[in-house]
C-alpha cells in the first residue's frame, strides 16, 4: 500500500455536488460528524472500471443515515451517478470508492437538528486488503477484547463511523500481537464478525454463519450465500458459539475489502484452506469481474 497520505494526493473528490481538487476536499474542525460521530460511510470496490453492486451500497448509505436520524440530500440514483463519475474522473480501473455523509458545523452540541448534511465521495486504486500470500494460506486471527453491542445499545444496523471505534482498537491489538485481524463475539458471547468483514464456517459441507442481528448483513455476505446456494451448498444462519470452532473444518471471512479470505487460525483453533472456501473464492472473483452478472447477483 502506498504511504502517500490520503489528504495529499492528485485527483478529484466529489464534495457536496461538485468535483473538487483532491487536496481541497476539507471540512471544518468544528463539525458534528467529528465530535459526535454523526457520520456514515460506504466501502465499494471497482473491478475493471465497474463498481460492484453500487446501488446496494448507495441504498445502505441512505439507510445508515436514516438510522442516525438524518436524510442524505441526494437520491440513491444521484449517489450512484456521483460514485461512477468519481471513478471515471480519477481513471480508476481496480480500486475502492468511499462515500461518506456527515452532519456539518451549524450546531455544536448533542442536538444537531438543523445541521447541514454533507456528502463526499473519493476513489483510489487499491489491489487487495490482505496480502496475496495470506489469502492463499489463510489469515491468523485472535480474539477481540470488545464485543459487538446489542441493538438496544447502539445503532448496529447502520454503517456508522462510531461503531468502528471498537474495531480499530481490536485490529490494532491484533496486529501488534502478529495477527491479521480479530474475531469479535457479540454481547451474548456468540460469534459475530471480524473488525471489517463477516464470517462463515464450513461444517460437514454446509455453510454456517451467524444471524446478522447486531452487525452488518454485508453485501458480500449476501452474495456468498447466493453463490453457495447456486452450487447446492446448504446455508444455515443461526447463533454460533465459539466452542463450535473445534468441530469446524474451514473458516473464511468476507467483505467488500476482504473479498473471500480464508482463515487458518482463530485463537486456539486451526483450519485448513479447504474446497468450499476455494470454490467460493474463485466464484466470487469471477462474479465481481463480470460486473456481478450471474444467477447469484
Ligand atoms: N462488517 C463490518 C464491520 C464491515 O466493516 C464490513 C465492510 N463494510 C462488513 C461487515 C462487510 O460488509 P460488505 O460485504 O457490505 O462490505
Amino acid at each position: 500500500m502506498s504511504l502517500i497520505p490520503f489528504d495529499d494526493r492528485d485527483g478529484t473528490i466529489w464534495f457536496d455536488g461538485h468535483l473538487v481538487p483532491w487536496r481541497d476536499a476539507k471540512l471544518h474542525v468544528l463539525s458534528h460528524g467529528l465530535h459526535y460521530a454523526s457520520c456514515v460511510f460506504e466501502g465499494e470496490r471497482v473491478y475493471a472500471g465497474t463498481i460492484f453492486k453500487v446501488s446496494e451500497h448507495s441504498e445502505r448509505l441512505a439507510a445508515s443515515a436514516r438510522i442516525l436520524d438524518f436524510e442524505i440530500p441526494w437520491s440513491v440514483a444521484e449517489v450512484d451517478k456521483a460514485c461512477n463519475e468519481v471513478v471515471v474522473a480519477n481513471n480508476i480501473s481496480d480500486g475502492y470508492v468511499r462515500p461518506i455523509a456527515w452532519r456539518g458545523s451549524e450546531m455544536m452540541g448533542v442536538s444537531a437538528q438543523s445541521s447541514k448534511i454533507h456528502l463526499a465521495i473519493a476513489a483510489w486504486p487499491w489491489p487487495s486488503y490482505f496480502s496475496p500470500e495470506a489469502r492463499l494460506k489463510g489469515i491468523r486471527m485472535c480474539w477481540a477484547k470488545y464485543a459487538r453491542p446489542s441493538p438496544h445499545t447502539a445503532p448496529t444496523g447502520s454503517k456508522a463511523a462510531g461503531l468502528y471505534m471498537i474495531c480499530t482498537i481490536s485490529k490494532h491489538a491484533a496486529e501488534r500481537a502478529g495477527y491479521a485481524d480479530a474475531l469479535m463475539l457479540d454481547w451474548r458471547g456468540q460469534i459475530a464478525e471480524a473488525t471489517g468483514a463477516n464470517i462463515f464456517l464450513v461444517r460437514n459441507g454446509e455453510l454456517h454463519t451467524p444471524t446478522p442481528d447486531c452487525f452488518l448483513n454485508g453485501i458480500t455476505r449476501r452474495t456468498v450465500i447466493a453463490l453457495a446456494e447456486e452450487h447446492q451448498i446448504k446455508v444455515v444462519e443461526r447463533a454460533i458459539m465459539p466452542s463450535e470452532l473445534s468441530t469446524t473444518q474451514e473458516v473464511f471471512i468476507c467483505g467488500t475489502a476482504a473479498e473471500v479470505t480464508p482463515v487458518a487460525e482463530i485463537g486456539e483453533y486451526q483450519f485448513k484452506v479447504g474446497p468450499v472456501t476455494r470454490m467460493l473464492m474463485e466464484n466470487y472473483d469471477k462474479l465481481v469481474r463480470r460486473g456481478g452478472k450471474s444467477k447469484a447477483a
Side-chain angles (χ1 to χ4, degrees), residues 41-43 57 60 96 148 159 164 167 193-198 215-222 254-257 284:
F41 66 100
E42 270 306 314
H57 285 284
R60 185 169 66 186
Y96 189 78
R148 303 299 311 180
K159 193 165 166 63
Y164 283 84
C167 300
E193 58 169 356
T195 60
N198 292 120
F215 54 85
L216 283 186
N217 180 2
I219 292 166
T220 319
R221 179 186 181 280
R222 283 178 269 144
C254 71
T256 297
Y284 185 77

Side-chain angles (χ1 to χ4, degrees), residues 148-217:
R148 303 299 311 180
S150 113
H152 303 111
T153 304
T156 53
S158 172
K159 193 165 166 63
L163 290 168
Y164 283 84
M165 252 187 341
I166 56 175
C167 300
T168 298
I169 300 171
S170 302
K171 179 128 176 157
H172 280 186
E175 287 177 344
R176 267 196 296 274
Y179 296 93
D181 206 347
L183 182 62
M184 307 184 84
L185 303 180
D186 71 11
W187 88 102
R188 297 162 293 203
Q190 296 167 193
I191 289 178
E193 58 169 356
T195 60
N198 292 120
I199 188 165
F200 282 85
L201 282 59
V202 181
R203 295 172 59 81
N204 306 319
E206 294 177 355
L207 271 191
H208 291 227
T209 191
T211 309
D213 57 5
C214 64
F215 54 85
L216 283 186
N217 180 2

Side-chain angles (χ1 to χ4, degrees), residues 43-290:
E44 310 172 3
R45 278 294 271 269
V46 185
Y47 296 98
T50 301
I51 305 172
F52 183 62
K53 299 198 171 178
V54 63
S55 296
E56 260 128 299
H57 285 284
S58 302
E59 274 160 21
R60 185 169 66 186
L61 185 73
S64 292
R66 270 180 215 128
I67 293 171
L68 295 207
D69 198 34
F70 68 85
E71 195 70 37
I72 295 177
W74 285 274
S75 68
V76 165
E78 286 167 333
V79 175
D80 283 358
K81 186 165 169 276
C83 289
N84 289 322
E85 264 171 43
V86 172
V87 168
V88 171
N90 291 281
N91 201 17
I92 308 285
S93 171
D94 289 282
Y96 189 78
V97 184
R98 168 56 57 86
I100 182 156
W102 69 96
R103 284 195 175 95
S105 304
E106 289 74 13
M107 295 181 76
M108 223 350 94
V110 172
S111 172
Q113 304 271 8
S114 53
S115 287
K116 192 174 162 204
I117 305 305
H118 298 273
L119 174 66
I121 305 167
W124 56 88
W126 203 32
S128 178
Y129 190 56
F130 294 107
S131 71
E133 184 208 356
R135 295 194 73 223
L136 281 179
K137 287 199 316 200
I139 60 163
R140 296 178 60 237
M141 299 177 75
C142 60
W143 297 106
K145 168 174 138 187
Y146 284 99
R148 303 299 311 180
S150 113
H152 303 111
T153 304
T156 53
S158 172
K159 193 165 166 63
L163 290 168
Y164 283 84
M165 252 187 341
I166 56 175
C167 300
T168 298
I169 300 171
S170 302
K171 179 128 176 157
H172 280 186
E175 287 177 344
R176 267 196 296 274
Y179 296 93
D181 206 347
L183 182 62
M184 307 184 84
L185 303 180
D186 71 11
W187 88 102
R188 297 162 293 203
Q190 296 167 193
I191 289 178
E193 58 169 356
T195 60
N198 292 120
I199 188 165
F200 282 85
L201 282 59
V202 181
R203 295 172 59 81
N204 306 319
E206 294 177 355
L207 271 191
H208 291 227
T209 191
T211 309
D213 57 5
C214 64
F215 54 85
L216 283 186
N217 180 2
I219 292 166
T220 319
R221 179 186 181 280
R222 283 178 269 144
T223 305
V224 163
I225 290 174
L227 277 174
E229 286 173 345
E230 201 177 274
H231 286 81
Q232 280 77 49
I233 293 171
K234 190 176 167 198
V235 181
V236 185
E237 296 182 65
R238 63 176 178 88
I240 303 175
M241 294 310 283
S243 58
E244 294 189 48
L245 291 175
S246 67
T247 50
T248 292
Q249 291 81 46
E250 304 173 33
V251 174
F252 63 87
I253 58 170
C254 71
T256 297
E259 302 176 302
V260 175
T261 294
V263 176
E265 190 180 318
I266 303 171
E268 58 274 44
Y269 304 104
Q270 267 143 32
F271 314 97
K272 296 243 166 0
V273 182
V276 177
T277 304
R278 256 194 219 109
M279 184 281 282
L280 290 167
M281 276 174 90
E282 278 164 26
N283 280 283
Y284 185 77
D285 280 355
K286 277 191 212 150
L287 178 67
V288 293
R289 284 179 179 80
R290 280 201 306 267

